[in-house]
Amino acid sequence: MAPKTKPATKPRLPLSRDRVLDVAVAFADERGIGSLTMRKLGEELGVEAMSLYNHVANKHDLLDGMVDLVFGEIDLPPTAPTGRRRCVSGRRRYGRH
């Protein structure tokens, strides 16, 4: 009889606040912000929902971090941008989300 072997498992990437926020934004982009729960986010990351609370205080903190992440993607021109140029840059970034 052949010896039993454990099924191969993918090594799990360590959690970090950045990884939690990145996956949360991607989840919201795909499925809508209304469907985002801590439990579903944990499933997406392959962890229990309670593990997320080591990286975000609560769902409000998660949402704030997501907004900061998306706002940080706006590329502002190096010179003082006009209101219109700022809006165009923001629109490009938010169109992705």
Side-chain angles (χ1 to χ4, degrees), residues 7-79:
T9 58
K10 286 195 272 185
R12 190 167 45 186
L13 295 173
L15 281 182
S16 67
R17 182 175 174 86
D18 289 340
R19 183 163 174 247
V20 169
L21 295 175
D22 286 340
V23 171
V25 169
F27 184 99
D29 285 347
E30 281 183 26
R31 300 179 192 132
I33 193 74
S35 66
L36 179 64
T37 65
M38 298 301 270
R39 180 172 292 164
K40 288 180 183 177
L41 181 57
E43 288 172 5
E44 192 75 17
L45 287 160
V47 300
E48 295 293 324
M50 291 305 293
S51 299
L52 300 174
Y53 293 102
N54 291 314
H55 306 283
V56 293
N58 50 40
K59 189 168 180 187
H60 183 79
D61 185 34
L62 175 72
L63 295 172
D64 280 350
M66 291 169 66
V67 169
D68 289 344
L69 184 65
V70 172
F71 273 33
E73 293 177 354
I74 297 175
D75 296 323
L76 294 178
T79 60

